[in-house]
Amino acid sequence: MTDSIAVEARHVVKAFGQGDTAVRALDDVSVNIRTGEFFTLLGPSGCGKTTLLRLIAGFEMPSAGAILLEGADITTLPPNKRPVNTVFQSYALFPHLTVAENVGFGLQMLGRPKAEVAATTARMLALVKLEALAGRKTSQLSGGQQQRVALARALAPAPKVLLLDEPLSALDLKLRKEMQIELKRLQLETGITFIFVTHDQEEALTMSDRIGVMSAGKLQQVGTPKDIYNHPVNRFVASFIGESNFLPATREGDRYRLDCGALIAAPAAKAARVTLTVRPEQVRLAAAGDTDAIPATITNLVYFGTDTHCHLALSDGTEVVARLQSPATGDAGLRIGQPVGLRFVPEAIQVLED
Amino acid sequence: MANKGFVISRLPGFNPIAGLVFAGLYLPILILVVYSFNAGRSVASWEGFSLQWYAVAWENDAVKDATIRSLYLAASAAVISTVLATLAALGTTRRKAFGGQTFIYVMINQPLMVPEIVSAVALLIFFAMIKQATGYAGMGYLIAAHSAFCIPFAYLPIRARLEGMDMTLETAAADLYASTWQAFRFVTLPLLLPGIFAGMMLAFVTSLDDVVITVFVKSAGQDTLPTYMLGQIRRQVTAEINAISTVLLALTVLLLTLFFVLTRKKDE
Ligand SMILES: Nc1ncnc2c1ncn2[C@@H]1O[C@H](COP(=O)(O)OP(=O)(O)OP(=O)(O)O)[C@@H](O)[C@H]1O
Ligand SMILES: [Mg+2]
């Protein structure tokens, strides 16, 4: 992977409609997507992921801002002039063409010689393991097979960037896991930059080189999966990716006083009033009365097999969830209503200034 | 017996009424077809099986002439109206909703709403003016008139097909480097073809059996099959008319069957 930039969005705004009914689907989005990386756009429904993808593909024009491809401004270029291909959520395979004709469509439109079209089509079908179905009509394929045809069709013209809009959401869980591995393999083998849209956080964490988390038309945070999970920049990211505990606190010198009275060390912040966030797996239980532990009471225990979620209440009523590994005996000796102490793994505490 | 709710076929008298309606619809046609094979001159008494009236019609130069004119007229009108209807359907579906859309829609389907006799009189007067000015008295008037009233019949199936088409297919074509024309040529048009053929078929059949406008617009010696038959019946009724009608019926049924086969959703 190099550090050159494949796609750049510069202060992109996209508004639909006019006046009072206008919707800002994208609100000043700027992002650099590096050449050869697997970049995921992650966010809840309606946050603008598809809109950003459609702007990069050229199906829509931004209301303001610019889209650059390898440094060249392509903002007003029509889709058929952009070396960018899309895998549509509905696959959008041409029903009147065979599998091979679908895969060769892009090269044919580019006016490539017949022999080249045939050779590349064969290579692409081999890449997605569909050689045997080359002559079939696409209506005679299963969902997973249609998915592969859509991938092969989009990869065949060797685009600079491949856009994938929730390509796996129509597949059942088992097929989805298979296709996740398959996609990752294709990306490594072809070296093409992938921009992948999903609202499934697990999918994003396992597949991506970097993730851009979106909410309400704004890019909230861009970073590696580890970055995003361990250092969320705001409450939205912390709660959208995995689970988090949120503890209101007041800064006192270089430490923070929780509303229950406990004093905690954490990274420095500017604001006086902050929220501390800790992942449930970074909360440890201690004996009640332990001097440097925060007193709490167990309010609920939820068994999940490999681990148990222990719901706790601090003295001021703030709720904290601790994820504990279930012991081999199946009983950790915890009871609802039992007073305990709790500690946070110090380096796992994040300070949010919102 | 359990209450099965309202089922119309359970009402008393359903079967006799249904039988009567179907008899009313098809008995006259059945009699017409049967008597086309009558050996005698009479259209009222059966005198044995014969193909003589088909032979008589076949030998009749006026019938031959009218048949050729009818087919030529219907084919011209079908092609012209289908081309125009295809453009109209593309223009009304492949764009964002616009003000006056309903108005355009009504305008395109005008021939379905204006009484045919009114159109006929209007065309008669209008064409008479042109005839006087230019001196032209050929088939052009009939072709123009038929093309116009066939447009809605061609338009409706084409539009239905376009509306049922997945728009992302055209987006996908553009994404795969197809120009606007290529996307139309290689994606939209092939998917639209069944609708276009169906529209053409319907336009052909509609033109083939038109009487009112044709009678008003045609010049002397421009009889089509229906206007020829109308003229014959005024003079004397022979089973020759039955034979011609039966052939016309067979042709129409064939074309309409094709139409239904083409418009049936065979989800590919
Ligand atoms: N053509 C359009 N006209 C009007 N509003 C639109 C249009 N396209 C998108 N929007 C609005 O823009 C916002 C973002 O939509 P977008 O499709 O980008 O969301 P998304 O993140 O892809 O959501 P999902 O996960 O549900 O696919 C939504 O509020 C949507 O209603
Ligand atoms: Mg979307």
Side-chain angles (χ1 to χ4, degrees):
Chain A
M1 200 193 299
T2 64
D3 262 4
S4 65
I5 302 302
V7 176
E8 181 182 353
R10 262 189 209 159
H11 303 292
V12 169
V13 174
K14 178 68 187 178
F16 290 107
Q18 260 128 35
D20 293 345
T21 57
V23 178
R24 282 210 158 197
L26 292 176
D27 193 356
D28 194 13
V29 170
S30 293
V31 62
N32 284 329
I33 293 157
R34 297 177 193 141
T35 307
E37 80 174 330
F38 196 116
F39 189 92
T40 298
L41 286 169
L42 174 66
S45 188
C47 71
K49 308 179 296 286
T50 297
T51 305
L52 184 54
L53 228 52
R54 290 176 63 83
L55 288 176
I56 297 172
F59 306 143
E60 312 259 9
M61 302 282 154
S63 311
I67 308 275
L68 287 82
L69 184 73
E70 297 188 337
D73 191 330
I74 56 163
T75 314
T76 57
L77 222 52
N80 58 320
K81 298 271 162 54
R82 301 186 184 200
V84 170
N85 289 140
T86 307
V87 176
F88 294 86
Q89 182 170 358
S90 59
Y91 313 142
L93 299 178
F94 303 126
H96 58 298
L97 301 179
T98 63
V99 167
E101 286 165 344
N102 262 282
V103 174
F105 190 88
L107 292 168
Q108 215 187 325
M109 292 302 112
L110 286 168
R112 298 288 165 74
K114 273 208 173 67
E116 187 195 327
V117 175
T120 310
T121 301
R123 199 155 47 75
M124 285 301 139
L125 286 175
L127 192 66
V128 297
K129 306 187 184 107
L130 281 182
E131 302 100 313
L133 304 180
R136 287 248 195 118
K137 279 280 168 77
T138 56
S139 56
Q140 303 163 328
L141 302 180
S142 71
Q145 290 167 336
Q146 290 186 25
Q147 171 75 78
R148 285 162 200 268
V149 176
L151 267 168
R153 184 178 73 172
L155 285 170
K160 297 225 163 96
V161 177
L162 188 72
L163 307 174
L164 305 103
D165 193 357
E166 308 204 27
L168 308 182
S169 63
L171 305 178
D172 63 46
L173 188 66
K174 185 166 170 289
L175 203 52
R176 194 141 114 208
K177 297 276 174 212
E178 271 174 46
M179 284 307 296
Q180 287 179 0
I181 295 166
E182 190 80 10
L183 270 181
K184 203 60 198 165
R185 177 181 69 86
L186 284 173
Q187 199 256 334
L188 291 173
E189 274 178 33
T190 58
I192 291 172
T193 310
F194 276 35
I195 306 181
F196 179 84
V197 162
T198 182
H199 55 241
D200 179 338
Q201 45 138 328
E202 188 188 316
E203 201 164 273
L205 290 174
T206 54
M207 297 175 75
S208 322
D209 293 318
R210 287 194 308 152
I211 299 173
V213 184
M214 290 184 70
S215 161
K218 287 198 162 73
L219 207 49
Q220 304 288 334
Q221 184 173 7
V222 177
T224 63
K226 278 191 185 132
D227 255 357
I228 302 245
Y229 188 80
N230 294 322
H231 306 287
V233 295
N234 60 32
R235 195 174 177 123
F236 173 82
V237 176
S239 57
F240 191 73
I241 319 254
E243 286 159 59
S244 277
N245 293 302
F246 296 102
L247 303 150
T250 312
R251 188 157 55 85
E252 278 185 16
D254 55 353
R255 298 207 288 177
Y256 298 89
R257 174 138 348 248
L258 298 186
D259 291 355
C260 66
L263 207 56
I264 285 188
K270 285 193 201 75
R273 227 7 222 176
V274 298
T275 303
L276 304 185
T277 169
V278 191
R279 299 285 180 190
E281 63 270 25
Q282 309 292 358
V283 180
R284 303 276 181 265
L285 288 195
D290 198 328
T291 46
D292 54 287
I294 305 165
T297 312
I298 297 177
T299 57
N300 200 5
L301 289 162
V302 185
Y303 180 66
F304 277 92
T306 54
D307 46 35
T308 302
H309 287 194
C310 178
H311 292 249
L312 304 144
L314 304 186
S315 61
D316 66 319
T318 306
E319 198 187 313
V320 174
V321 178
R323 184 182 298 161
L324 311 169
Q325 265 196 4
S326 304
T329 56
D331 186 4
L334 300 173
R335 299 284 173 268
I336 292 173
Q338 181 184 340
V340 292
L342 63 82
R343 281 197 198 94
F344 302 122
V345 175
E347 53 278 13
I349 302 173
Q350 295 295 309
V351 183
L352 305 177
E353 308 180 55
D354 352 89
Chain B
M1 198 168 50
N3 181 9
K4 292 203 173 145
F6 178 75
V7 180
I8 195 160
S9 61
R10 285 183 183 283
L11 290 181
F14 175 84
N15 285 334
I17 291 175
L20 207 65
V21 168
F22 278 111
L25 278 173
Y26 292 107
L27 202 59
I29 295 178
L30 188 69
I31 291 171
L32 172 117
V33 172
V34 168
Y35 273 88
S36 73
F37 298 106
N38 196 359
R41 284 196 73 81
S42 165
V43 285
S45 64
W46 180 253
E47 292 170 32
F49 179 86
S50 150
L51 288 174
Q52 62 159 315
W53 294 114
Y54 288 88
V56 169
W58 182 253
E59 295 295 322
N60 187 337
D61 280 339
V63 172
K64 233 181 264 178
D65 197 42
T67 306
I68 290 167
R69 190 172 295 110
S70 264
L71 292 177
Y72 167 68
L73 176 59
S76 310
V79 169
I80 294 170
S81 62
T82 304
V83 169
L84 294 175
T86 305
L87 296 177
L90 285 169
T92 49
T93 55
R94 284 299 181 269
R95 53 178 297 174
K96 292 196 177 105
F98 55 99
Q101 195 163 12
T102 316
F103 177 70
I104 299 275
Y105 188 72
V106 170
M107 291 297 280
I108 289 168
N109 292 305
Q110 169 268 339
L112 293 181
M113 294 171 233
V114 175
E116 198 180 353
I117 189 73
V118 175
S119 303
V121 173
L123 285 172
L124 173 73
I125 298 167
F126 182 60
F127 286 154
M129 287 160 70
I130 299 179
K131 237 179 255 185
Q132 203 162 33
T134 62
Y136 172 73
M139 282 291 284
Y141 299 111
L142 275 177
I143 292 175
H146 277 230
S147 301
F149 74 72
C150 285
I151 285 176
F153 296 94
Y155 173 78
L156 292 174
I158 296 172
R159 184 188 155 104
R161 182 93 193 170
L162 264 178
E163 280 179 340
M165 203 185 288
D166 181 3
M167 288 274 274
T168 47
L169 293 179
E170 288 164 28
T171 311
D175 186 60
L176 291 162
Y177 313 104
S179 63
T180 311
W181 163 248
Q182 284 176 316
F184 176 74
R185 167 70 188 76
F186 295 110
V187 176
T188 316
L189 190 60
L191 291 171
L192 195 54
L193 271 185
I196 290 178
F197 278 130
M200 202 183 296
M201 220 77 80
L202 217 52
F204 187 88
V205 170
T206 307
S207 162
L208 200 60
D209 82 355
D210 179 75
V211 176
V212 179
I213 288 182
T214 313
V215 165
F216 277 70
V217 170
K218 76 182 178 67
S219 306
Q222 288 186 344
D223 262 324
T224 62
L225 213 42
T227 61
Y228 169 79
M229 288 159 72
L230 191 66
Q232 282 301 298
I233 281 177
R234 283 212 200 100
R235 271 179 263 152
Q236 59 164 155
V237 182
T238 71
E240 186 186 359
I241 293 293
N242 292 30
I244 299 170
S245 303
T246 304
V247 172
L248 207 52
L249 176 72
L251 183 63
T252 308
V253 167
L254 185 76
L255 289 175
L256 288 181
T257 308
L258 259 171
F259 168 80
F260 282 114
V261 168
L262 286 171
T263 47
R264 200 181 46 201
K265 280 264 180 291
K266 47 169 195 225
D267 282 301
E268 313 193 83

